[in-house]
Amino acid sequence: MRLDPRNWASWKPFGIGERKPNNYLELWKAFRSVRGNRRYAWRILNQGTCDGCALGTKGMRDWTMDEIHLCNIRLRLLKLNTMPPLDISLLSDVSGLAGRRSAELRDLGRLPHPMLRRRGEPGFTRVSWDEALDLTASHLHGGTRLGAYLTSRGVPNENYYAAQKAVRALGTNSIDNAARICHSPSTVALKQSIGAAATTCSYSDWIGSDLIVFIGSNPSNNQPVAMKYLYHAKKAGTRIAMVNSYREPGMERYWVPSNAESAMFGTKITDHFFGVNVGGDIGFLNGVLKHLIEDDRLDKAFIDAHTSGFEEVRRAVAGQSWESLEALSGASREQMGELARLLGEARSAVLVWSMGITQHTYGEDNVRAIVNLALARGFVGRDHCGLMPIRGHSGVQGGAEMGAYATGLPGGLPITPENTARFAGMWGFHVPSAPGLTATDMIDAAHRRELDVLVSSGGNFLEVLPDPAYCREALSRLPLRVHIDIVLSSQMLVESEGDVLLLPAQTRYEMAGGVTETSTERRVIFSPEVEGPRIGEAWPEWKIFTELAARARPELGDKIRYPGGTPQIRQEIEEAVPFYAGIAGLAKFGDNVQYGGRHLCPDGRFPTADGRGRFAPVALPELERPDGAFMVATRRGKQFNSMVHERRDGFNGATREAVLISPYDADRLGLPDGAEVELRGAAGTFTGRVLRAPLTPGNLQIHWPEGNVLLDPVRRSPDARIPDYNAVVTLRKTAS
């Protein structure tokens, strides 16, 4: 395609002098980090399916465009996948590791052997797998006081499926995964409104769409490969709008390193920015819908033929005054009208959202408000249109669909007597019919001493959930904690009233028989075993969970174990989850199947009981912000999940202690950049330093997980049970 200077971000070659990440420096850092295993790292890059974000690749290519794909996130993960084992003598007395940052603990190396710390002991000693499994099994009789949690740290579908089956064989549905704290409100709201809890379109629909609207989403930080799609979308004439409290620098201008034009001159990304309050999305989106209705910009034919509930929604927004919508959203009626005009004039549009929408006590309603806009304009089920809850991690979409979910069974089926009876017949053992404990419920139960065993596969509750002190106390009260991971984390070192086991896991690239992941666009992708060094006695997680269950319930051993390995698991997934048809045939590099095809809900046919998409009235949330207080949101910087890679964000220069504040508020309060301030909320305090940023006045941002000390652990959404990662705070300048 021809060069197009209209989209250039800068005339300076390679953006010299501009504030932006140095992607070529990242290549050099990655090269240095895998010293001694560079051939293995190269094979992972070329033969594996990326274990970073959920865009999904085969090696360094994908199915959207015939170009090289390689992002900073994947490069930073190479070290974890290739590092040597740690020296287990370091664990004999963990007091020497106290206070180390998580990055320092990870850098010690891979966990090579099962390790046990008995109550009262200063550290861990090596034990055999038999000892570790038998100890755990001795605590699992009865099963109902068990909780299991799996992160999306490259966890493949096979691990999720086998783990949830094993936990249910133990008599509980208390198994959950990282989707609970990211897109669970999307799952709830989409299932209710369109009958499917997944994106309705493909990445290719971005390119050539009239309009893409990002709402509370920042792919430049979290899904960097997506920025190449946006480069091509801009070349095709797509307009891009952003609804957010912060005008993200990476969404303003981005230099795609693997594209010559963008690498040289950068690319202007966002054409229209709409600033809103933290938590003000419903006010803004309902205002946009109100304009669409009043200005007669609806797709009436689509609404009449393919939806239900529109009149109820029309009445609801008619009863919401412009004054109340403006007060909640922080945006003007005219700004809402501008987005309504863009949507109304667009023949096609894709609506994309992420954590800025879901991580609220009313996250489900936030998603419903987005769905209402898409249904009002008929932007579902056809080319260049869709609803896209973009996923941040390679295992999130598949985790819930495999049934590793306290409130759902394989295939996303609700936990009902009818559905549990179906799986009981398939698996040959009783499946409980009551929902289990969600991730946050498990911590609450541990805090109340109502949980006997917590199995945490990956992750770190101390860095992921609100109120780290509360989580630490809960972890310390468990009779047995089992941590399955590839490296050390700070939660493993929490001293306990009971025993603590560390079990070494394999990466996806080490698993015999290969594994699969499911991308944001519903593509189930095979990732083969990659030849290379293996670490100690590390096991695949599917084997750890099934062996634990088989030892606790030996009479079910032949129903739980998988002697045929991951191919046998894929065969069973295809039987248990019919819409994953084809997964059993995936066996070599590049094999994939996109369930549902390019579009869900094709031509307006929805997988709901009546075949129609459902509008839902969305009430305005009651947000109380006292005079002088701020709404603070937690943001991601130079990191992947809670793994912080750098202290400074290359996009905006923010360090981990930065408190992002609007220039208006900073001037009003007499706060220069670098001034030390204290934020105080209902749950705690945070001390940081001022950094002026293009934020909507009255709002602040601080980094996650450092800012979790401000978050109230009891604030969760009613249906999805997602924690609220925002808080009302006061700000004062400290004496220093």
Side-chain angles (χ1 to χ4, degrees):
M1 300 178 72
R2 295 197 308 267
L3 298 180
D4 186 1
R6 292 174 299 177
N7 285 330
W8 290 357
S10 172
W11 285 81
K12 302 175 185 177
F14 297 102
I16 294 173
E18 302 282 354
R19 183 182 292 283
K20 64 183 184 66
N22 187 331
N23 293 298
Y24 302 109
L25 180 61
E26 292 291 335
L27 281 169
W28 172 245
K29 288 181 177 179
F31 179 76
R32 292 183 59 194
S33 74
V34 295
R35 186 169 46 247
N37 274 318
R38 286 171 183 154
R39 290 183 179 179
Y40 182 38
W42 183 248
R43 288 194 293 272
I44 287 174
L45 289 177
N46 282 277
Q47 300 171 19
T49 296
C50 176
D51 58 340
C53 78
L55 269 68
T57 62
K58 50 177 178 179
M60 290 189 282
R61 297 184 180 272
D62 69 4
W63 296 267
T64 304
M65 59 190 64
D66 187 22
E67 295 183 17
I68 292 292
H69 286 304
L70 184 60
C71 76
N72 295 340
I73 289 175
R74 191 175 187 194
L75 288 171
R76 288 299 182 117
L77 292 176
L78 272 179
K79 183 177 181 179
L80 286 178
N81 289 308
T82 60
M83 64 170 52
L86 64 78
D87 177 0
I88 62 172
S89 67
L90 295 173
L91 299 179
S92 61
D93 185 347
V94 296
S95 62
L97 302 177
R100 292 204 189 186
R101 298 195 309 272
S102 291
E104 295 174 307
L105 294 175
R106 291 193 297 271
D107 285 347
L108 293 175
R110 290 276 302 276
L111 287 170
H113 308 291
M115 305 290 291
L116 172 64
R117 183 184 185 184
R118 295 279 189 185
R119 177 181 179 179
E121 293 181 345
F124 295 85
T125 55
R126 180 177 172 179
V127 294
S128 69
W129 271 106
D130 281 336
E131 290 174 291
L133 294 168
D134 288 342
L135 171 64
T136 306
S138 69
H139 285 74
L140 293 178
H141 294 296
T144 56
R145 290 171 62 94
L146 160 71
Y149 175 78
L150 290 84
T151 73
S152 53
R153 172 213 20 89
V155 176
N157 292 323
E158 292 80 356
N159 284 359
Y160 281 124
Y161 181 83
Q164 63 82 29
K165 180 181 174 183
V167 169
R168 289 182 163 113
L170 291 168
T172 180
N173 286 315
S174 294
I175 180 166
D176 222 28
N177 76 80
R180 179 67 55 192
I181 56 175
C182 58
H183 267 298
S184 53
S186 301
T187 297
V188 169
L190 288 174
K191 197 79 171 176
Q192 293 171 345
S193 58
I194 66 170
T199 181
T200 67
C201 58
S202 301
Y203 305 134
S204 57
D205 288 303
W206 286 14
I207 303 167
S209 178
D210 286 348
L211 180 68
I212 304 173
V213 185
F214 289 94
I215 314 167
S217 181
N218 178 19
S220 62
N221 266 45
N222 301 317
Q223 299 93 4
V225 172
M227 303 310 288
K228 180 176 281 192
Y229 303 159
L230 294 182
Y231 161 79
H232 284 284
K234 294 299 293 285
K235 296 282 282 189
T238 300
R239 307 291 285 175
I240 297 173
M242 187 173 188
V243 181
N244 206 5
S245 61
Y246 178 41
R247 193 164 188 144
E248 294 283 355
M251 292 298 289
E252 285 286 291
R253 304 183 304 165
Y254 196 91
W255 280 256
V256 179
S258 57
N259 178 277
E261 181 184 18
S262 186
M264 178 67 73
F265 301 110
T267 304
K268 296 177 184 176
I269 302 297
T270 299
D271 300 293
H272 307 273
F273 176 77
F274 302 94
V276 297
N277 285 328
V278 173
D281 303 280
I282 289 174
F284 184 81
L285 298 171
N286 279 10
V288 174
L289 181 60
K290 188 178 178 79
H291 271 294
L292 288 174
I293 294 170
E294 293 182 355
D295 299 342
D296 198 23
R297 294 183 183 273
L298 304 170
D299 187 335
K300 295 179 180 177
F302 182 88
I303 292 172
D304 291 343
H306 301 294
T307 72
S308 62
F310 176 71
E311 287 305 319
E312 190 177 357
V313 167
R314 183 201 294 270
R315 290 192 296 271
V317 296
Q320 295 170 359
S321 69
W322 289 113
E323 292 76 15
S324 62
L325 296 171
E326 288 178 324
L328 176 62
S329 69
S332 68
R333 175 177 179 176
E334 289 71 27
Q335 290 171 310
M336 301 173 200
E338 175 63 11
L339 182 54
R341 181 189 66 79
L342 292 171
L343 290 167
E345 294 177 354
R347 294 162 299 176
S348 58
V350 180
L351 307 184
V352 185
W353 70 94
S354 194
M355 308 300 93
I357 283 293
T358 57
Q359 290 182 330
H360 295 268
T361 53
Y362 40 87
E364 298 92 327
D365 273 350
N366 280 343
V367 177
R368 293 180 184 112
I370 295 172
V371 175
N372 285 344
L373 290 180
L375 295 180
R377 291 290 300 134
F379 291 148
V380 182
R382 54 189 176 90
D383 288 354
H384 307 304
C385 294
L387 290 159
M388 181 176 283
I390 192 167
R391 306 287 180 162
H393 311 294
S394 62
V396 173
Q397 185 68 43
E401 290 168 347
M402 293 301 97
Y405 217 44
T407 52
L409 294 163
L413 295 175
I415 297 175
T416 64
E418 180 183 18
N419 289 333
T420 55
R422 176 202 162 197
F423 285 102
M426 181 186 305
W427 293 334
F429 55 78
H430 173 72
V431 178
S433 57
L437 299 174
T438 67
T440 49
D441 293 335
M442 292 175 199
I443 290 297
D444 289 343
H447 200 271
R448 297 191 301 266
R449 304 184 191 277
E450 295 175 1
L451 201 67
D452 291 335
V453 182
L454 176 65
V455 181
S456 178
S457 182
N460 188 344
F461 283 125
L462 295 180
E463 295 184 351
V464 169
L465 295 182
D467 198 345
Y470 175 82
C471 292
R472 178 179 292 275
E473 191 169 349
L475 292 173
S476 73
R477 295 179 177 183
L478 284 154
L480 177 65
R481 294 202 322 266
V482 181
H483 297 287
I484 305 170
D485 214 325
I486 62 174
V487 291
L488 285 178
S489 67
S490 59
Q491 72 170 356
M492 298 175 179
L493 307 182
V494 173
E495 189 170 2
S496 180
E497 297 175 7
D499 297 338
V500 182
L501 263 175
L502 310 184
L503 302 181
Q506 293 181 345
T507 72
R508 66 168 56 180
Y509 308 115
E510 297 167 350
M511 294 189 201
V515 293
T516 60
E517 74 156 72
T518 307
S519 74
T520 287
E521 66 172 0
R522 296 170 280 104
R523 192 176 299 277
V524 185
I525 310 164
F526 184 75
S527 186
E529 180 183 6
V530 178
E531 178 188 355
R534 296 296 181 257
I535 300 297
E537 300 175 275
W539 279 16
E541 283 151 299
W542 66 262
K543 182 178 178 181
I544 297 173
F545 276 97
T546 55
E547 192 60 30
L548 282 174
R551 298 217 178 188
R553 298 199 64 185
E555 75 278 11
L556 298 180
D558 61 338
K559 302 179 187 301
I560 300 170
R561 292 186 175 102
Y562 291 98
T566 57
Q568 183 182 355
I569 300 174
R570 287 191 288 277
Q571 190 71 47
E572 189 171 313
I573 290 172
E574 187 158 315
E575 178 185 1
V577 186
F579 61 83
Y580 264 60
I583 188 175
L586 305 183
K588 64 182 185 300
F589 173 70
D591 282 357
N592 73 98
V593 59
Q594 186 181 26
Y595 76 75
R598 177 174 171 178
H599 301 124
L600 296 183
C601 317
D603 302 317
R605 299 189 305 274
F606 293 87
T608 55
D610 59 4
R612 290 175 172 264
R614 299 166 184 163
F615 283 91
V618 180
L620 302 184
E622 296 182 5
L623 294 182
E624 297 293 334
R625 187 171 69 184
D627 288 345
F630 290 86
M631 285 295 298
V632 62
T634 48
R635 65 175 285 102
R636 279 51 165 178
K638 183 65 176 175
Q639 63 192 95
F640 176 64
N641 199 358
S642 62
M643 294 189 294
V644 177
H645 295 313
E646 298 281 355
R647 289 198 66 254
R648 187 178 299 275
D649 187 337
F651 286 113
N652 59 11
T655 58
R656 302 303 297 184
E657 64 270 15
V659 176
L660 277 62
I661 186 172
S662 74
Y664 171 83
D665 287 325
D667 289 342
R668 178 173 59 85
L669 298 173
L671 297 172
D673 276 350
E676 187 177 87
V677 293
E678 180 188 78
L679 307 185
R680 182 175 294 275
T685 61
F686 175 86
T687 300
R689 294 193 177 276
V690 166
L691 179 66
R692 294 170 183 235
L695 270 164
T696 304
N699 301 273
L700 307 171
Q701 288 197 359
I702 55 178
H703 280 113
W704 177 89
E706 290 85 351
N708 287 359
V709 293
L710 290 174
L711 305 178
D712 189 342
V714 304
R715 290 181 55 81
R716 298 168 194 166
S717 69
D719 300 320
R721 303 289 292 158
I722 194 170
D724 192 339
Y725 282 87
N726 311 276
V728 177
V729 300
T730 57
L731 179 152
R732 72 174 184 88
K733 187 176 181 180
T734 63
S736 61

